[in-house]
Amino acid sequence: MTADEQPQMTGDRFPPGRETRHREAHSTTPKDPLRAQQDELTAVHDVATRLRSAYPSVDPAAVDALVKTAYEQLHQARIRTYIPILVERRARNMLNASSRDSAP
């Protein structure tokens, strides 16, 4: 590709028209809030499934309750992108703490 064939850059990073698409794709505000909420709930459900598999000796209802508690602790977060991973981290920490407490 010669210098003449390379796309022209606007600003310092994006070819014409691409900057807007990039900004929309990486926006913290979802276009469809209901879809974003459903995606978040699906991801949190997946967290519970992973944790039930990772902790087979713990009652599945207890794991679900810990995931629910962790999710409720983050209900007022303004930026929702990392909610599922934060829920998993909190629930995993609670599970590890309870297993340490119950260990002989």
Side-chain angles (χ1 to χ4, degrees):
M1 176 180 285
T2 66
D4 294 334
E5 295 172 335
Q6 292 180 353
Q8 294 296 321
M9 303 301 270
T10 59
D12 61 342
R13 294 177 38 173
F14 302 104
R18 187 164 176 228
E19 183 173 353
T20 302
R21 288 191 307 268
H22 177 79
R23 198 175 312 124
E24 290 171 357
H26 292 86
S27 172
T28 57
T29 306
K31 291 184 181 193
D32 183 0
L34 293 176
R35 173 64 186 206
Q37 183 181 24
Q38 183 60 41
D39 290 346
E40 181 179 288
L41 291 174
T42 300
V44 171
H45 180 268
D46 293 344
V47 164
T49 301
R50 276 195 305 276
L51 291 175
R52 284 193 302 267
S53 295
Y55 296 88
S57 63
V58 178
D59 179 28
V63 173
D64 291 341
L66 287 174
V67 169
K68 182 179 178 190
T69 299
Y71 185 67
E72 288 171 350
Q73 290 172 347
L74 298 167
H75 78 280
Q76 292 183 345
R78 289 179 55 210
I79 298 176
R80 310 298 298 178
T81 305
Y82 302 105
I83 295 296
I85 194 159
L86 294 172
V87 166
E88 183 166 3
R89 185 176 294 163
R90 285 181 183 213
R92 195 175 291 274
N93 286 342
M94 288 186 276
L95 285 163
N96 288 334
S98 68
S99 68
R100 272 181 279 167
D101 293 343
S102 64

